Amino acid sequence: MARERLPGRGCCALRRCLLAAALLLGLRLCAELQRAGPQPPALSPPPGQAPRPPGSHLQPAPGQLRGASRRQVTYVRSGRRAPAGGSRSGTPEPGCCALRGRPRLKGPRWQIDLQPWAGPARSLDEEALRFLRYISTIQIECDHMSTDSLATDSSPTKKPWPVCLDDRFGLVHQIRNKQCRLYSLGLGSDDTHFEVGMASNGCEVHRFDPSVKSAHVLESERLWFHRLSIDWRDPHPAVAAQKPYGNTRKLGAILNEFGHHKIDVLKADLESAEWKVLENLILEDVLEQIGQLIFEIHLHWPGFEVSGSDSSVVRFWYSLLKELELQDFRLFHSYKDLSKPQLFLKKDIFNASSCYTLGWVNTRWK
């Protein structure tokens, strides 16, 4: 009698074969994954862009290991050596040179640099002697000065307002070519012989005086009068909003408003406001637009918004004039007005006058 097959024995053998095959397949897949390494997840295409067609990706080059990532490195030659230790900042370094025709922007200045004290005692005598010696010492000789504006006496109606007419400074050429421009800053003075003379010689003259009756008056062919006062401060925002056409401006604002880039001569008789106006011209870099300065300075009191001890006031005055020298201005004229009280900060000392007329020329002026 034939031997009977146990029920279910063939099914068990088939199951064992399938499990063994699945185990071998799993082991092979694990080995392949270990060889290939981790792969980045596939990026989905951005909205609106069609998915990349199959086969458009780069195929690995022959001989390249399967699954190995391939990097492309591009070397750029630079003309600048890297600093020692490398750059730690994330921002790129600026170029070595500025673009031609585009000047570097200067940072704002909020105050002038005070000169060292004249002596260890920091006294008024030390500061006054240094200051008076400085304004009385001519720094550059001017062979040709305008003689029609020089007073032959001490008459208060005519003050000496000389300009340097040497060929090396260019003013005489500007006058001959009728391209000279003069700004005159005043406070109610009736003495305009200097302005009239310069206008008749061919200069375009603008006189700024708050006492002028009309906003702008063309007195003659080349002589303008403007009802404007030169200040060293910006007008208060509330006042500026109520009076957008007020009669107080800084000189830099007037230059921009009038479209003038250069002033051949700047004359100022501001009755003790000259110190703060001069400080503003220095701090806002307006001096480089001026060829010659003719200022009447007043020494009988500190001046508007100039405070401190007497010695510190004189030190401030001296520092302002040294700033002119640092910007290549040289003193070519000094006139001591003997018709004014002989007072220096309300003191009768050093035989000093309370009023001097000083003239500087910009030696870099073209």
Side-chain angles (χ1 to χ4, degrees):
M1 185 175 180
R3 188 177 179 180
E4 294 182 0
R5 180 179 297 180
L6 295 176
R9 188 171 182 180
C11 293
C12 291
L14 180 60
R15 289 176 183 175
R16 291 192 186 96
C17 291
L18 292 176
L19 288 175
L23 181 61
L24 291 175
L25 182 60
L27 292 175
R28 184 165 183 176
L29 288 176
C30 290
E32 291 290 339
L33 290 175
Q34 289 179 358
R35 289 177 58 189
Q39 297 293 332
L43 298 178
S44 59
Q49 181 177 346
R52 181 179 297 178
S56 62
H57 57 278
L58 296 177
Q59 298 294 333
Q64 182 180 356
L65 294 178
R66 184 180 180 183
S69 60
R70 184 178 183 181
R71 297 180 181 178
Q72 293 184 353
V73 181
T74 303
Y75 295 93
V76 180
R77 182 180 297 274
S78 173
R80 181 176 62 249
R81 291 180 179 269
S87 176
R88 299 181 182 273
S89 63
T91 58
E93 297 182 3
C96 66
C97 306
L99 296 177
R100 291 189 177 183
R102 182 180 298 176
R104 293 179 180 269
L105 297 178
K106 299 180 181 179
R109 293 182 62 187
W110 304 107
Q111 60 184 7
I112 65 167
D113 298 326
L114 292 176
Q115 293 293 315
W117 291 95
R122 302 184 178 183
S123 64
L124 174 61
D125 289 355
E126 293 173 337
E127 296 297 327
L129 284 174
R130 178 177 67 171
F131 176 80
L132 292 172
R133 188 183 307 115
Y134 188 81
I135 65 174
S136 303
T137 304
I138 300 301
Q139 297 173 337
I140 190 170
E141 294 293 337
C142 183
D143 298 328
H144 302 89
M145 285 194 296
S146 59
T147 56
D148 55 345
S149 60
L150 288 174
T152 57
D153 54 18
S154 59
S155 172
T157 60
K158 284 193 175 183
K159 299 177 183 178
W161 300 103
V163 291
C164 185
L165 298 178
D166 285 4
D167 290 340
R168 52 183 168 160
F169 301 128
L171 177 59
V172 64
H173 302 290
Q174 295 292 94
I175 293 176
R176 291 171 184 168
N177 297 330
K178 308 296 183 181
Q179 296 179 350
C180 166
R181 180 177 293 122
L182 181 145
Y183 272 27
S184 174
L185 317 180
L187 292 174
S189 175
D190 295 329
D191 180 16
T192 59
H193 76 281
F194 175 72
E195 291 81 358
V196 172
M198 293 296 288
S200 62
N201 287 332
C203 278
E204 173 191 335
V205 179
H206 297 268
R207 178 169 174 81
F208 301 92
D209 193 330
S211 65
V212 176
K213 296 181 180 180
S214 300
H216 305 284
V217 178
L218 182 60
E219 186 72 14
S220 62
E221 181 182 0
R222 306 182 67 85
L223 177 59
W224 284 88
F225 284 77
H226 307 279
R227 190 176 58 198
L228 286 172
S229 175
I230 305 301
D231 205 339
W232 58 93
R233 303 155 297 189
D234 287 315
H236 192 277
V239 177
Q242 296 177 1
K243 298 180 179 180
Y245 302 102
N247 61 348
T248 300
R249 301 276 200 287
K250 292 195 293 187
L251 185 61
I254 291 180
L255 287 172
N256 293 332
E257 183 178 336
F258 283 21
H260 295 162
H261 303 291
K262 288 186 176 182
I263 306 173
D264 294 284
V265 180
L266 176 63
K267 172 212 168 188
D269 183 5
L270 296 174
E271 304 298 337
S272 298
E274 65 274 1
W275 298 114
K276 296 301 291 184
V277 169
L278 182 58
E279 181 188 34
N280 174 256
L281 300 184
I282 294 170
L283 296 179
E284 296 193 355
D285 291 322
V286 182
L287 284 178
E288 60 186 14
Q289 300 174 256
I290 301 172
Q292 295 188 28
L293 287 171
I294 312 172
F295 268 57
E296 183 176 87
I297 62 172
H298 302 85
L299 309 179
H300 59 286
W301 72 296
F304 293 100
E305 293 193 7
V306 179
S307 59
S309 63
D310 288 347
S311 57
S312 63
V313 167
V314 182
R315 182 192 180 199
F316 172 72
W317 291 348
Y318 176 74
S319 300
L320 282 176
L321 302 188
K322 289 294 288 185
E323 287 274 357
L324 293 179
E325 184 179 348
L326 292 175
Q327 299 198 33
D328 296 315
F329 280 81
R330 297 294 181 266
L331 187 69
F332 73 90
H333 174 74
S334 177
Y335 171 77
K336 178 181 178 180
D337 193 345
L338 298 178
S339 66
K340 296 297 179 66
Q342 307 300 295
L343 293 176
F344 188 91
L345 291 178
K346 302 180 181 180
K347 299 178 178 64
D348 185 7
I349 56 175
F350 305 118
N351 195 28
S353 174
S354 60
C355 181
Y356 289 78
T357 302
L358 305 177
W360 293 270
V361 60
N362 186 348
T363 57
R364 293 186 291 108
W365 188 253
K366 300 296 183 183

